[in-house]
Structures are given as structure tokens and as C-alpha cells.
Amino acid sequence: MKLVRFEDEYGMETYVNADQVTHIRAMGESTVIHFGSDKHTVTVKMPASAVASALAGADKP
């Protein structure tokens, strides 16, 4: 399991299992991280490109 730390839309520390992310979607200045469906999401206050980089970096040891 590869956990990546983000701050969610409420300012709370949130850890995401990068292996479970199916896709991300830009929404204004935030990004929605999806885990298989629209019912399982986390919204973070970061651009989609930064979220993608953080999730991709989780593959590195």
C-alpha cells in the first residue's frame, strides 16, 4: 500500500492509497480523486497536475 498525504476540501489531513485511485478530475482550483465510482471520492485543494505528480511519485521507493 502506498499512502499519499493530501489536505482535503475541509482542511483535514487525508491519506490516499495511490494503488486504489482509478482517476482524478479537475474541478476549479481543486481536484476530485476517484476510487472506482462517483460515490467514493476525496476532494483536495490542489491542481490536478500536482495531485497526479504526487500519486505517480508514490511508485518510487
Side-chain angles (χ1 to χ4, degrees), residues 3-53:
L3 296 176
V4 181
R5 183 193 176 285
F6 293 102
E7 184 176 306
D8 72 10
E9 63 188 322
Y10 305 106
M12 301 298 294
E13 183 175 54
T14 302
Y15 290 84
V16 170
N17 181 349
D19 296 334
Q20 298 297 313
V21 175
T22 57
H23 64 286
I24 62 174
R25 179 173 45 93
M27 187 173 79
E29 294 182 17
S30 297
T31 301
V32 180
I33 302 172
H34 292 262
F35 303 92
S37 75
D38 285 338
K39 294 182 181 182
H40 299 94
T41 64
V42 173
T43 301
V44 297
K45 294 181 178 184
M46 293 174 63
S49 59
V51 171
S53 291

